[in-house]
Amino acid sequence: MDVRRVRVGCEFVHVAAVDTPTVFQVGLQDAAPVSLAHHAWSMEPQRRIRRYTDLYGNPCVRVVLPAGRSTLRYEAVVLVPDATEDADEQAQELSPEALPDEVLIYTLPSRYCLPDMLGDEAWSRFGAIPPGFSRVQAICDYVHRHLTFSYGSSGPSSTAVDVNTSGFGVCRDFTHLAISFCRALNIPARYVFGYLPAMDVPPDPAPMDFAAWMEVWLGDRWWTFDPRNNRRRKGRILIGHGRDASDVAMVTTFGAPLLESMTVRAEEELA
């Protein structure tokens, strides 16, 4: 398969009153179908950056932000397939007793995904649709139509129920709502976030940001669905996955530093 070269990265500028222990989860995973060609971390002023892997297998780093202004940068060059992610309209749902042990957790309520509170709506809207890939796609179609993308329309405490009621959200909210509907139907679904360059799609005039989507267990594997964009895309580069956004926070600070600025980069390197 042909591959394309993508450069991704980010920069966080913080101002802290005191030294502040911090976890960053913005480094990508070197796993198929992407291949990591190069990556590097840097920080000004220089501080020790220690890597570790969380309980979901996601790569993270730990640093102590010094008192005052500091800048942390991450950059990587990745080879991605020149193809959209896989799809199979014949992929089938499994009954709960047939699910692998390790995916059962993704059928349960979590901080932002509330299938117990959206169960009646999920069954009334999607219960009559034949189980499998087409039902999950119908959920994505509905969420894509129902929610209007709007920066600032939701906050750190907004749940899937909140955005379902308001009708507004950002990409993580689209994902939380679709996950909640899937879980209400006993379909395992997990939250995924990463870098998503604009490859072979119309350019987006909004500033580049991290992207959120979901993976759903059908048959014997995870399948990618994107209720925000609702189309197959090229170049998805995984950072992490978990039950919802609380498991894959970009930055977790053990204190209250001011985030002065954040920039994200994800673009194809053309010859």
Side-chain angles (χ1 to χ4, degrees), residues 93-96 99 106-107 123 181-188 217:
E93 295 175 26
L94 299 182
S95 61
L99 291 171
Y106 299 110
T107 64
W123 282 102
F181 283 141
C182 286
R183 291 182 187 173
L185 300 172
N186 299 318
I187 307 170
W217 187 270

Side-chain angles (χ1 to χ4, degrees), residues 233-251:
R233 291 283 293 267
K234 296 180 179 180
R236 291 187 195 273
I237 300 170
L238 175 66
I239 293 174
H241 64 262
R243 295 168 298 174
D244 57 34
S246 63
D247 287 333
V248 283
M250 294 172 288
V251 184

Side-chain angles (χ1 to χ4, degrees), residues 22 24 40-52 60-64 71-74:
T22 304
F24 286 92
W41 295 87
S42 63
M43 187 169 178
E44 298 173 5
Q46 289 188 351
R47 289 292 187 273
R48 179 178 179 236
I49 299 175
R50 182 166 71 82
R51 303 178 189 182
Y52 80 100
C60 307
V61 299
R62 298 176 64 173
V63 301
V64 176
T71 302
L72 183 133
R73 297 184 183 90
Y74 175 77

Side-chain angles (χ1 to χ4, degrees), residues 38-207:
H38 161 79
H39 76 149
W41 295 87
S42 63
M43 187 169 178
E44 298 173 5
Q46 289 188 351
R47 289 292 187 273
R48 179 178 179 236
I49 299 175
R50 182 166 71 82
R51 303 178 189 182
Y52 80 100
T53 302
D54 71 9
L55 76 165
Y56 296 100
N58 302 316
C60 307
V61 299
R62 298 176 64 173
V63 301
V64 176
L65 301 180
R69 179 175 282 100
S70 63
T71 302
L72 183 133
R73 297 184 183 90
Y74 175 77
E75 64 174 5
V77 176
V78 190
L79 302 179
V80 303
D82 187 16
T84 59
E85 58 264 17
D86 294 341
D88 182 0
E89 294 186 0
Q90 304 307 311
Q92 294 297 306
E93 295 175 26
L94 299 182
S95 61
E97 67 270 19
L99 291 171
D101 298 341
E102 63 272 17
V103 307
L104 283 174
I105 190 174
Y106 299 110
T107 64
L108 304 177
S110 57
R111 170 69 179 83
Y112 296 110
C113 300
L114 304 173
D116 49 341
M117 298 182 66
L118 291 168
D120 289 345
E121 182 175 350
W123 282 102
S124 65
R125 290 190 183 280
F126 313 112
I129 299 174
F133 195 97
S134 61
R135 178 148 68 172
V136 177
Q137 185 57 58
I139 291 172
C140 291
D141 293 342
Y142 172 77
V143 172
H144 181 75
R145 294 192 308 268
H146 176 60
L147 296 184
T148 298
F149 187 89
S150 177
Y151 285 113
S153 61
S154 61
S157 63
S158 299
T159 69
V161 173
D162 297 326
V163 298
N164 189 44
T165 300
S166 73
F168 295 89
V170 293
C171 61
R172 76 174 217 159
D173 301 310
F174 283 69
T175 303
H176 285 154
L177 182 55
I179 287 173
S180 298
F181 283 141
C182 286
R183 291 182 187 173
L185 300 172
N186 299 318
I187 307 170
R190 66 186 184 183
Y191 182 93
V192 182
F193 99 107
Y195 299 95
L196 183 57
M199 296 174 61
D200 299 342
V201 296
D204 186 343

